[in-house]
């Protein structure tokens, strides 16, 4: 798949990994649909259009809502014109930390656990099913490819830490869906991949104290720093353009293994 002239929908695109990916694809000549609940997504779109021409539009949608996401995909298909929608990079998600028992021996909040799973896992399934429906009717390109879906997992799916039961479970579910989804959608010429980032410089890290960030940086074997959103975007670009990448989860983590 070529980025030039292809339309992509990016969720969680108001900041962080999603915003960097939208920038990378627009820079490469792609048309981008930035999807987020935050009003900051409008600023991202304005900046992209100023630099690259009228290539970007914004849509506001909750990834857990069937109706809102259907409207987002309808907008993306329309933005793509005759070619429709070529790819989806799903970056929207939440981080949650809660122990099964607090210091007083009280059990974790069940609703908070369910919310994390609903957004990170059910939201991913919602995006995948609508993406597949939007792309299955595309005219086949080289190798009969019709589209690509890139989901965002996490190294917490493999190396979950204390307090990450909800987050780790939700991201492990994303990992678990990758291969069966890729196998199913192969008949439609749609690839499914996932990226599992390590510790990255994103707005989600902004609440962590500086000493904790420094410790995380030192825990990365090489390079000894947090990952940059642009590095995630670079890998997403490679997945899009390399058709043999399918049904796999790629750790992007500097070889860190969380304790």
């Amino acid at each position: 798949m070529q980025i030039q002239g292809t339309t992509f929908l990016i969720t969680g695109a108001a900041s962080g990994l999603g915003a960097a990916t939208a920038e990378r694809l627009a820079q490469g000549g792609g048309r981008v649909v930035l999807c987020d609940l935050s009003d900051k997504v409008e600023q991202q779109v304005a900046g992209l259009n100023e630099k690259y021409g009228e290539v970007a539009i914004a849509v506001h949608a909750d990834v857990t809502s069937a109706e809102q996401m259907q409207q987002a995909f309808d907008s993306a298909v329309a933005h793509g014109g005759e070619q429709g929608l070529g790819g989806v990079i799903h970056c929207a998600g939440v981080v949650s930390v809660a122990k099964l028992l607090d210091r007083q021996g009280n059990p974790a909040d069940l609703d908070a656990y369910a919310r994390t799973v609903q957004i990170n896992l059910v939201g991913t399934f919602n995006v995948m099913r609508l993406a597949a429906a939007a792309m299955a009717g595309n005219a086949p390109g080289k190798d009969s490819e019709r589209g690509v879906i890139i989901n965002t997992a996490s190294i917490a799916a493999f190396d979950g830490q204390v307090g990450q039961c909800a987050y780790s479970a939700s991201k492990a579910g994303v990992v678990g869906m990758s291969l069966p989804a890729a196998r199913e959608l192969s008949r439609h010429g749609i690839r499914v991949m996932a990226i599992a980032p390590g510790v990255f410089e994103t707005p989600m890290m902004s609440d962590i104290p500086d000493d904790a960030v420094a410790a995380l940086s030192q825990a990365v074997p090489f390079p000894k720093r947090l990952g940059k959103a642009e590095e995630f975007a670079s890998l997403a670009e490679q997945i899009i353009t390399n058709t043999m990448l399918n049904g796999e989860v790629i750790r992007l983590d500097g070889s860190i293994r969380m304790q």
Side-chain angles (χ1 to χ4, degrees):
M1 179 179 292
Q2 299 299 312
I3 292 172
Q4 178 76 39
T6 302
T7 299
F8 301 91
L9 184 146
I10 304 104
T11 68
S15 61
L17 306 179
T21 302
E23 174 87 28
R24 183 92 177 196
L25 297 179
Q27 187 178 37
R31 299 174 63 80
V32 289
V33 179
L34 281 66
C35 177
D36 206 295
L37 285 173
S38 172
D39 290 338
K40 291 181 180 179
V41 72
E42 304 284 357
Q43 300 172 17
Q44 294 291 339
V45 165
L48 292 177
N49 287 338
E50 183 177 351
K51 286 191 282 187
Y52 307 113
E54 297 300 314
V55 299
I57 63 171
V59 293
H60 295 273
D62 181 342
V63 296
T64 67
S65 168
E67 294 77 14
Q68 291 181 29
M69 285 309 300
Q70 183 62 69
Q71 292 173 2
F73 274 97
D74 289 345
S75 296
V77 171
H79 190 54
E82 292 183 0
Q83 290 185 321
L85 178 66
V88 174
I89 302 88
H90 176 48
C91 300
V94 295
V95 173
S96 64
V97 178
K99 294 183 178 180
L100 288 173
L101 296 175
D102 66 17
R103 292 182 178 179
Q104 288 73 44
N106 300 311
D109 183 83
L110 184 59
D111 289 340
Y113 179 92
R115 177 179 178 272
T116 300
V117 173
Q118 183 72 16
I119 295 172
N120 291 351
L121 181 56
V122 178
T124 298
F125 181 81
N126 189 33
V127 169
M128 277 205 303
R129 72 185 187 91
L130 296 173
M135 296 188 291
N138 288 347
K142 185 179 179 181
D143 293 321
S144 298
E145 185 175 19
R146 290 185 171 89
V148 58
I149 300 169
I150 303 172
N151 292 319
T152 305
S154 168
I155 61 168
F158 311 100
D159 311 333
Q161 295 180 295
V162 171
Q164 287 190 325
C165 278
Y167 185 66
S168 294
S170 67
K171 292 301 186 177
V174 174
V175 169
M177 289 193 296
S178 298
L179 183 57
R183 285 172 166 168
E184 176 188 345
L185 296 181
S186 64
R187 73 193 68 175
H188 301 290
I190 298 171
R191 294 183 291 127
V192 180
M193 287 287 293
I195 300 173
V199 285
F200 268 63
E201 292 178 355
T202 68
M204 288 183 179
M205 295 288 289
S206 60
D207 294 332
I208 298 179
D210 291 343
D211 57 345
V213 172
L216 284 172
S217 299
Q218 286 303 305
V220 181
F222 185 82
K224 285 194 172 298
R225 59 170 173 81
L226 302 186
K228 300 182 184 300
E230 292 77 15
E231 291 167 323
F232 177 97
S234 177
L235 179 54
E237 179 183 46
Q238 176 60 215
I239 291 171
I240 290 165
T241 58
N242 191 331
T243 313
M244 280 301 289
L245 288 171
N246 191 20
E248 187 55 90
V249 180
I250 301 176
R251 291 183 65 133
L252 185 65
D253 59 14
S255 80
I256 190 173
R257 297 297 182 266
M258 306 296 287
Q259 300 295 319

